[in-house]
Amino acid sequence: MRILFMGTPDFAVASLEALVTNGYQVVGVVTQPDRPKGRGRQLMPPPVKEIAQKYELPVFQPEKVRQEEALAQLEELQPDLLVTAAYGQLLPQRLLDMPKFGSINVHASLLPKHRGGAPIHRAIINGDKQSGVTIMRMVQALDAGAMLSQVAIPIDERDTVGSLHDKLACAGAKLLLETIPKIADGSITETEQDESLVTYSPNISRDDERIDWTKSARAIYNQVRGLNPWPVSFTTSNGKIVKIWWVDLVDETTVSGKQPGTVLRTSKDSIEVQTGKGIVAIRELQPEGKRKMKAEELLRGQTIEAGYQFGDANE
């Protein structure tokens, strides 16, 4: 089977590599153009491009895949199936209709829940007990196509968006390999999504990253995990940004009478902070202009006394 693959970030790498190592003929890989990154703003290839080059696959990086020149190039490849995984652009109907077996997508959620660009982050932030992967038909609407296969993955209490991402990427690759043969022999069952159960997970904004200390300890705990290791939650201290990499739940009920964001006490390796309901202990943080460090390391060089305030008064 001649497969055209479209993907960009790390999540797509496992699926592409699974196709190649399991004998599928990947006739082309479409990914986003190289972008400047880091302090030097050097052009860096997306992860999928690096893997495609490793296997000497033809790579296409159109700025806009719906342009005539790009579409004509892809038509010349005569793919039997189009597989996408977090590609990052809306695809025109002409492209979706191109392969004889159609176009499918590896989506990191249990559709119809968490349609949109940040399903893994939102699943943890929302406190979901499970996530999963859905292989779906591509249509001209956001993640709305019929479902071909699905696998659920439990979310561990200590999962971060990073660890859950890796689990889902592997599960998606495995599910893709199980699904393609059924598409080829016509035995696949397609199930339309129940529109009454649809929820959306938009991309993470700067407001999503800011810790609102009036929220409960559980909500803040989920937020910090759901943004670790990227883009990382933050608060402020004396007008400066402090990234919060990890907190532990101390309790979920205590209301001390102190303003949310107030430090209640410190120990050798943690900074306990009052929330709107309950207490969290900061374990890893990154003051502005400094590297990520454990609370223990910060407290060896800086005294933080009870009453110290995180978060501006107007937050």
Side-chain angles (χ1 to χ4, degrees):
M1 180 180 287
R2 296 170 61 83
I3 292 179
L4 176 62
F5 187 86
M6 303 181 71
T8 300
D10 286 319
F11 178 77
V13 166
S15 290
L16 173 58
E17 198 147 31
L19 292 173
V20 174
T21 58
N22 282 274
Y24 285 100
Q25 184 182 3
V26 179
V27 295
V29 175
V30 185
T31 189
Q32 296 283 352
D34 296 0
R35 305 291 189 199
K37 288 184 179 178
R39 291 184 177 179
R41 305 306 291 166
Q42 290 185 329
L43 283 178
M44 298 293 291
V48 161
K49 180 180 179 181
E50 294 183 328
I51 294 300
Q53 291 177 327
K54 170 185 171 182
Y55 291 104
E56 299 181 340
L57 302 173
V59 175
F60 302 86
Q61 295 180 279
E63 195 66 46
K64 293 184 179 179
V65 74
R66 60 177 57 250
Q67 291 179 335
E68 175 59 32
E69 182 180 358
L71 292 172
Q73 278 186 318
L74 300 181
E75 281 173 338
E76 290 180 2
L77 300 175
Q78 299 182 324
D80 298 316
L81 180 69
L82 170 60
V83 176
T84 70
Y87 170 57
Q89 290 187 32
L90 294 176
L91 307 187
Q93 193 64 46
R94 177 177 162 187
L95 179 56
L96 299 181
D97 293 339
M98 193 182 296
K100 66 180 180 182
F101 290 117
S103 303
I104 62 174
N105 180 50
V106 184
H107 185 75
S109 86
L110 295 174
L111 291 172
K113 192 171 184 180
H114 291 305
R115 290 183 183 176
I120 307 176
H121 292 82
R122 300 287 182 188
I124 293 181
I125 292 171
N126 290 353
D128 292 358
K129 299 301 182 186
Q130 67 173 7
S131 180
V133 179
T134 303
I135 308 293
M136 50 166 284
R137 287 284 183 194
M138 294 284 288
V139 296
Q140 286 279 290
L142 181 65
D143 301 329
M147 300 181 294
L148 307 183
S149 57
Q150 197 169 68
V151 61
I153 301 292
I155 298 178
D156 185 82
E157 174 73 10
R158 306 280 289 182
D159 264 329
T160 64
V161 68
S163 64
L164 182 58
H165 166 281
D166 293 348
K167 293 178 185 177
L168 296 179
C170 291
K174 183 173 183 290
L175 188 63
L176 183 62
L177 294 178
E178 295 170 356
T179 304
I180 291 177
K182 297 177 183 177
I183 295 174
D185 67 17
S187 64
I188 197 77
T189 299
E190 304 196 13
T191 305
E192 297 297 331
Q193 297 184 42
D194 185 342
E195 293 295 323
S196 69
L197 300 178
V198 170
T199 63
Y200 289 95
S201 293
N203 290 330
I204 299 297
S205 70
R206 188 65 170 164
D207 284 342
D208 293 317
E209 299 167 28
R210 182 186 298 273
I211 293 176
D212 177 356
W213 292 103
T214 66
K215 291 186 175 180
S216 70
R218 169 65 64 173
I220 292 170
Y221 176 67
N222 290 340
Q223 177 189 7
V224 171
R225 292 189 303 131
L227 298 175
N228 177 340
W230 74 90
V232 185
S233 59
F234 75 91
T235 185
T236 55
S237 172
N238 294 323
K240 293 188 175 181
I241 297 292
V242 180
K243 291 185 176 181
I244 304 296
W245 284 81
W246 190 260
V247 298
D248 281 331
L249 272 174
V250 176
D251 76 59
E252 300 188 48
T253 58
T254 296
V255 178
S256 65
K258 303 289 185 182
Q259 181 179 338
T262 301
V263 173
L264 299 177
R265 65 189 71 84
T266 61
S267 66
K268 177 183 176 184
D269 59 0
S270 71
I271 304 165
E272 294 189 10
V273 183
Q274 178 68 58
T275 72
K277 183 181 179 184
I279 299 169
V280 296
I282 299 174
R283 298 286 187 182
E284 292 183 317
L285 69 170
Q286 184 175 6
E288 186 171 309
K290 298 184 179 180
R291 59 179 172 78
K292 171 186 172 185
M293 64 183 73
K294 294 187 178 299
E296 180 177 0
E297 184 178 354
L298 178 77
L299 292 170
R300 282 201 298 267
Q302 178 179 344
T303 299
I304 296 180
E305 298 180 340
Y308 187 91
Q309 188 69 37
F310 285 113
D312 293 335
N314 59 353
E315 288 181 10

